[in-house]
Amino acid sequence: MSVQIGNIDLGEFPLLLAPMEDVSDPPFRYVCKQNGADMMYTEFISSEGLIRDAAKSRQKLDIFEYERPIGIQIFGSDIDHMREATEIATLAKPDLMDINYGCPVKQVACRGAGASLLQDIDKMVAMTSAVVKATHLPVTVKTRLGWDDNTKNVYEVAERLQDVGIQALTIHGRTRSQMYKGEADWRLIRDIRKNPRIKIPIFGNGDIDSPEKAAAWRMEYEVDGMMIGRAAIGYPWIFREIKHYFNTGEFLAPPTIAERVDVCRAHLDKSVQWKGPRTGIFEMRRHYSNYFKGVDHFKEFRMKLVSVQTVEEVHELLDEVVDHYSAIMA
C-alpha cells in the first residue's frame, strides 16, 4: 500500500527528512534527496518573518524542482498571522504546508509557538483549521507527545487535527520538557496509529539512527513512515542504507572516503550557488566535521578546511583528503 498525502504518492514506507533550523536548507536537502529521502521540508519559517517580509524568512521559501515533493513548514503564535503566512508560502508552490507544533526551544515555545500550543489544544485546533482553509495544498503537522509527562495529549491532538483537515501527522516521541534528552518513546505513536478513528498517515520521529533500528521499529510501532533528523546531519547515506536493509536484510557498506568527499563537494557547490561564495563557504564550515566523523586523524584537514577562503582552495584540500587516505588504505 502506497502512503498518500493528498495527491502525493510517497511509496510504501517513506523516509522523510526532518525540518531542522540552520541545517535543512536547499544544499543539505539536495544531498539527502540524492541519497534516498522520499520527502523533505524547509527549515521552519516564522509567520511573523514572512508577514514582515524579513529577508531570512523569505530566503527559506526557496525550493527547487529536484526537491519535490517538498513541504514548507511554518510556526507562529497568532492565528491570523499564521493564516496570512500560509497564503504567502503557498505562492512559493510547495507540494504541501506543514505546521510546527513541536519545536521545544525557548525562543519559540516561550513565545506561544511551536510546542507551546500543546498547552492549548483549542487554540491549536483553531490555528490548524485557519491554515487548512488558507491554502489549496495538503496541510500536515509535526508535534510531540505533549508538554510534559503529565500532559501527553497527542492522542486527542491527532483526532482533533484530523477532524479539521490535516492530511498527515508526524509525532516526535518526546515531550517538550524532554527537549532532545532521554530516549524517544514511540508507544503512544503506535496507539495513535492503531486508533480506528485515525485515517491519515502517522509518521514516527526521534532516535532513528541505524538501519536495524528503523527495521525493528517499523515492525514494532506500525507507523506509515519515519522522519529522520539529526542522524542525517553529515550522513545523508542513512536514507539509502535503511532502504537497502529493508529490501535485502543486509547492510550496505559505509561510504568510502571518496564518497564522503563527493557528497561534501556537492553540498559545497550547491551552497555556493545558492548563497554566493562568501556565505556558502562560511556556512559549509560547520558540516566538515560531520562528513568526516570517525575518520582517523582528520583534525588537521578539518582545521584547514574551516580556514580557507575560496572554493578552489576547498576543492584542492578535498583532493588532498582523497589522495592521503587512498595512499594509507592502498
Coordinates of all heavy atoms in Angstrom, one line a residue, residues 217-263:
W217 N 11.8 -0.9 14.6 CA 10.7 0.0 15.0 C 9.6 0.0 14.0 O 8.4 0.3 14.3 CB 11.3 1.4 15.2 CG 12.0 1.5 16.5 CD1 12.6 0.4 17.2 CD2 12.4 2.6 17.3 NE1 13.2 0.8 18.3 CE2 13.1 2.2 18.4 CE3 12.2 4.0 17.1 CZ2 13.6 3.1 19.3 CZ3 12.7 4.9 18.1 CH2 13.4 4.4 19.2
R218 N 9.9 -0.2 12.7 CA 8.8 -0.3 11.7 C 7.9 -1.4 12.0 O 6.7 -1.3 11.9 CB 9.5 -0.5 10.3 CG 8.5 -0.7 9.2 CD 9.2 -1.0 7.8 NE 8.2 -1.1 6.8 CZ 8.5 -1.3 5.5 NH1 9.8 -1.4 5.1 NH2 7.6 -1.4 4.6
M219 N 8.4 -2.6 12.5 CA 7.6 -3.7 12.8 C 6.9 -3.5 14.2 O 5.7 -3.7 14.3 CB 8.5 -5.0 13.0 CG 9.1 -5.4 11.7 SD 7.9 -6.0 10.5 CE 7.4 -7.6 11.3
E220 N 7.6 -2.9 15.1 CA 7.1 -2.8 16.5 C 6.0 -1.7 16.6 O 5.0 -1.9 17.3 CB 8.2 -2.5 17.5 CG 7.8 -2.5 18.9 CD 8.9 -2.4 19.9 OE1 10.1 -2.4 19.5 OE2 8.6 -2.3 21.1
Y221 N 6.2 -0.6 15.9 CA 5.3 0.5 16.2 C 4.3 0.8 15.0 O 3.5 1.6 15.1 CB 6.2 1.8 16.4 CG 7.0 1.6 17.7 CD1 8.4 1.5 17.7 CD2 6.3 1.5 18.9 CE1 9.1 1.3 18.8 CE2 7.1 1.3 20.1 CZ 8.4 1.2 20.1 OH 9.2 1.0 21.2
E222 N 4.5 0.0 13.9 CA 3.5 0.0 12.8 C 3.1 1.4 12.2 O 2.0 1.6 11.8 CB 2.2 -0.7 13.4 CG 2.5 -2.1 13.9 CD 1.2 -2.8 14.5 OE1 0.2 -2.6 13.9 OE2 1.4 -3.4 15.5
V223 N 4.1 2.3 12.2 CA 3.9 3.6 11.6 C 3.9 3.5 10.1 O 4.2 2.5 9.5 CB 5.0 4.6 12.1 CG1 4.8 5.0 13.5 CG2 6.4 4.0 11.8
D224 N 3.4 4.6 9.5 CA 3.3 4.6 8.0 C 4.6 5.0 7.3 O 4.8 4.8 6.1 CB 2.2 5.5 7.6 CG 0.8 5.1 8.0 OD1 0.4 4.0 7.5 OD2 0.2 5.7 8.9
G225 N 5.5 5.6 8.1 CA 6.8 6.0 7.6 C 7.6 6.6 8.7 O 7.1 6.7 9.9
M226 N 8.8 7.1 8.5 CA 9.7 7.6 9.5 C 10.3 8.9 9.1 O 10.6 9.1 7.9 CB 10.8 6.6 9.9 CG 10.3 5.4 10.5 SD 11.6 4.2 10.8 CE 10.8 3.0 11.8
M227 N 10.4 9.8 10.0 CA 11.1 11.1 9.8 C 12.5 11.0 10.5 O 12.5 10.7 11.6 CB 10.3 12.3 10.3 CG 11.0 13.6 10.0 SD 10.0 15.0 10.6 CE 8.8 15.2 9.2
I228 N 13.5 11.4 9.7 CA 14.9 11.3 10.3 C 15.5 12.7 10.3 O 15.3 13.5 9.3 CB 15.7 10.4 9.4 CG1 15.2 8.9 9.4 CG2 17.2 10.4 9.8 CD1 15.8 8.0 8.4
G229 N 16.0 13.1 11.4 CA 16.6 14.4 11.6 C 18.1 14.4 11.8 O 18.9 14.3 10.9
R230 N 18.5 14.4 13.1 CA 19.9 14.6 13.5 C 20.8 13.5 12.9 O 22.0 13.8 12.6 CB 20.0 14.6 15.0 CG 19.5 15.9 15.6 CD 19.5 15.9 17.1 NE 18.5 14.9 17.6 CZ 18.5 14.5 18.9 NH1 19.4 15.0 19.8 NH2 17.6 13.7 19.3
A231 N 20.3 12.3 12.7 CA 21.1 11.2 12.2 C 21.6 11.4 10.7 O 22.5 10.8 10.2 CB 20.4 9.8 12.3
A232 N 20.8 12.3 10.0 CA 21.2 12.6 8.6 C 22.2 13.7 8.5 O 22.8 13.9 7.4 CB 19.9 13.0 7.8
I233 N 22.5 14.4 9.6 CA 23.5 15.5 9.5 C 24.9 15.0 9.3 O 25.4 14.2 10.1 CB 23.4 16.4 10.8 CG1 22.1 17.0 11.0 CG2 24.5 17.5 10.8 CD1 21.9 17.8 12.3
G234 N 25.5 15.3 8.2 CA 26.8 14.8 7.9 C 26.8 13.3 7.4 O 27.8 12.7 7.1
Y235 N 25.5 12.7 7.4 CA 25.4 11.3 7.0 C 24.1 11.1 6.2 O 23.2 10.4 6.6 CB 25.5 10.4 8.2 CG 26.0 9.0 7.9 CD1 27.3 8.7 7.8 CD2 25.1 8.0 7.6 CE1 27.8 7.5 7.4 CE2 25.5 6.7 7.2 CZ 26.9 6.5 7.2 OH 27.3 5.2 6.8
P236 N 24.0 11.8 5.0 CA 22.8 11.6 4.2 C 22.6 10.2 3.7 O 21.5 9.8 3.3 CB 23.0 12.6 3.1 CG 24.5 12.8 3.0 CD 25.0 12.7 4.4
W237 N 23.7 9.4 3.8 CA 23.6 8.0 3.3 C 22.7 7.2 4.2 O 22.3 6.1 3.8 CB 25.0 7.4 3.4 CG 26.0 8.1 2.6 CD1 26.2 8.0 1.2 CD2 26.9 9.1 3.1 NE1 27.2 8.9 0.9 CE2 27.7 9.6 1.9 CE3 27.2 9.6 4.3 CZ2 28.7 10.5 2.0 CZ3 28.2 10.6 4.4 CH2 28.9 11.1 3.3
I238 N 22.2 7.7 5.3 CA 21.3 6.9 6.2 C 20.1 6.5 5.5 O 19.5 5.4 5.7 CB 21.0 7.6 7.5 CG1 20.3 6.6 8.5 CG2 20.2 8.9 7.3 CD1 20.4 7.0 9.9
F239 N 19.6 7.3 4.6 CA 18.3 7.0 3.8 C 18.5 5.8 2.9 O 17.7 4.9 3.0 CB 17.9 8.2 3.0 CG 17.5 9.4 3.9 CD1 18.4 10.5 4.0 CD2 16.3 9.5 4.5 CE1 18.1 11.6 4.8 CE2 15.9 10.6 5.3 CZ 16.8 11.6 5.4
R240 N 19.6 5.8 2.2 CA 19.8 4.7 1.3 C 20.2 3.4 2.1 O 19.8 2.3 1.7 CB 20.9 5.0 0.2 CG 22.3 5.0 0.8 CD 23.3 5.2 -0.4 NE 24.7 4.9 0.2 CZ 25.8 5.2 -0.5 NH1 25.7 5.7 -1.7 NH2 27.0 4.9 0.0
E241 N 20.9 3.6 3.2 CA 21.2 2.4 4.0 C 20.0 1.7 4.6 O 19.9 0.5 4.6 CB 22.2 2.8 5.1 CG 23.6 3.1 4.5 CD 24.6 3.5 5.6 OE1 24.3 3.4 6.8 OE2 25.8 3.8 5.3
I242 N 19.1 2.5 5.1 CA 17.8 2.0 5.7 C 17.0 1.3 4.6 O 16.5 0.2 4.8 CB 17.0 3.1 6.3 CG1 17.7 3.6 7.6 CG2 15.6 2.6 6.7 CD1 17.1 4.8 8.3
K243 N 16.9 1.9 3.4 CA 16.1 1.3 2.3 C 16.7 0.0 1.9 O 16.0 -1.0 1.6 CB 16.0 2.3 1.1 CG 15.1 3.4 1.4 CD 15.0 4.4 0.2 CE 13.8 5.3 0.4 NZ 13.7 6.2 -0.7
H244 N 18.1 0.0 1.8 CA 18.7 -1.3 1.3 C 18.5 -2.4 2.4 O 18.2 -3.5 2.0 CB 20.2 -1.0 1.2 CG 21.0 -2.2 0.7 ND1 21.1 -2.5 -0.6 CD2 21.8 -3.1 1.3 CE1 21.8 -3.6 -0.8 NE2 22.3 -4.0 0.4
Y245 N 18.5 -2.0 3.6 CA 18.3 -3.0 4.7 C 16.9 -3.5 4.7 O 16.6 -4.7 4.8 CB 18.6 -2.4 6.1 CG 18.7 -3.4 7.2 CD1 19.8 -4.2 7.4 CD2 17.6 -3.5 8.1 CE1 19.9 -5.1 8.4 CE2 17.7 -4.4 9.1 CZ 18.8 -5.2 9.3 OH 18.8 -6.1 10.3
F246 N 15.9 -2.6 4.5 CA 14.5 -3.0 4.3 C 14.3 -4.0 3.2 O 13.6 -5.0 3.3 CB 13.6 -1.8 4.0 CG 13.3 -0.9 5.2 CD1 12.7 0.3 4.9 CD2 13.6 -1.3 6.5 CE1 12.3 1.1 6.0 CE2 13.3 -0.4 7.5 CZ 12.6 0.8 7.3
N247 N 15.0 -3.8 2.1 CA 14.8 -4.6 0.9 C 15.6 -5.9 0.9 O 15.1 -6.9 0.3 CB 15.2 -3.8 -0.4 CG 14.3 -2.6 -0.6 OD1 13.1 -2.7 -0.3 ND2 14.8 -1.6 -1.2
T248 N 16.7 -5.9 1.5 CA 17.6 -7.1 1.5 C 17.9 -7.8 2.8 O 18.4 -8.9 2.8 CB 18.9 -6.7 0.8 OG1 19.6 -5.8 1.7 CG2 18.7 -6.0 -0.5
G249 N 17.7 -7.0 3.9 CA 18.1 -7.6 5.2 C 19.6 -7.5 5.4 O 20.2 -8.0 6.4
E250 N 20.3 -6.8 4.5 CA 21.7 -6.7 4.6 C 22.2 -5.3 4.7 O 21.5 -4.3 4.3 CB 22.4 -7.3 3.3 CG 22.1 -8.8 3.1 CD 22.6 -9.3 1.8 OE1 23.1 -8.5 0.9 OE2 22.4 -10.5 1.5
F251 N 23.4 -5.1 5.3 CA 23.9 -3.7 5.5 C 24.7 -3.3 4.3 O 25.5 -4.1 3.7 CB 24.8 -3.7 6.7 CG 24.1 -3.9 8.0 CD1 24.2 -5.1 8.7 CD2 23.4 -2.8 8.6 CE1 23.5 -5.3 9.9 CE2 22.8 -3.0 9.8 CZ 22.8 -4.2 10.4
L252 N 24.4 -2.1 3.8 CA 25.3 -1.5 2.8 C 26.6 -1.2 3.4 O 26.7 -0.8 4.5 CB 24.7 -0.2 2.3 CG 23.9 -0.1 1.0 CD1 23.5 1.3 0.7 CD2 24.6 -0.8 -0.2
A253 N 27.7 -1.3 2.6 CA 29.0 -0.9 3.1 C 28.9 0.6 3.4 O 28.3 1.4 2.6 CB 30.0 -1.2 2.0
P254 N 29.6 1.1 4.4 CA 29.6 2.5 4.7 C 30.3 3.3 3.6 O 31.1 2.7 2.8 CB 30.4 2.6 6.0 CG 31.2 1.4 6.2 CD 30.4 0.3 5.4
P255 N 30.0 4.6 3.5 CA 30.6 5.4 2.4 C 32.2 5.4 2.5 O 32.7 5.5 3.6 CB 30.0 6.8 2.6 CG 29.6 6.8 4.0 CD 29.2 5.4 4.3
T256 N 32.8 5.3 1.4 CA 34.3 5.4 1.4 C 34.7 6.9 1.6 O 33.8 7.8 1.5 CB 34.8 4.9 0.0 OG1 34.3 5.8 -1.0 CG2 34.4 3.5 -0.3
I257 N 36.0 7.1 1.7 CA 36.4 8.5 1.8 C 36.1 9.2 0.5 O 35.6 10.4 0.6 CB 38.0 8.5 2.1 CG1 38.3 8.0 3.5 CG2 38.5 9.9 1.9 CD1 37.9 8.9 4.6
A258 N 36.3 8.6 -0.6 CA 36.0 9.2 -1.9 C 34.5 9.6 -1.9 O 34.1 10.7 -2.4 CB 36.3 8.3 -3.0
E259 N 33.6 8.7 -1.5 CA 32.1 9.1 -1.5 C 31.8 10.2 -0.5 O 31.0 11.1 -0.8 CB 31.3 7.8 -1.1 CG 31.2 6.8 -2.1 CD 30.4 5.6 -1.7 OE1 30.8 4.9 -0.7 OE2 29.3 5.4 -2.2
R260 N 32.5 10.2 0.6 CA 32.3 11.3 1.6 C 32.7 12.6 0.9 O 32.0 13.6 1.1 CB 33.1 11.1 2.9 CG 32.6 10.0 3.8 CD 33.5 9.7 4.9 NE 33.1 8.5 5.7 CZ 32.5 8.6 6.8 NH1 32.1 9.7 7.4 NH2 32.1 7.4 7.5
V261 N 33.8 12.6 0.3 CA 34.3 13.8 -0.4 C 33.4 14.2 -1.5 O 33.1 15.4 -1.6 CB 35.7 13.6 -0.9 CG1 36.2 14.7 -1.9 CG2 36.7 13.6 0.3
D262 N 32.9 13.3 -2.3 CA 32.0 13.6 -3.4 C 30.7 14.3 -2.9 O 30.3 15.3 -3.5 CB 31.6 12.4 -4.2 CG 32.7 11.9 -5.1 OD1 33.6 12.6 -5.3 OD2 32.6 10.7 -5.6
V263 N 30.1 13.8 -1.8 CA 28.9 14.4 -1.3 C 29.2 15.7 -0.6 O 28.5 16.7 -0.8 CB 28.2 13.4 -0.3 CG1 27.1 14.1 0.5 CG2 27.7 12.2 -1.0

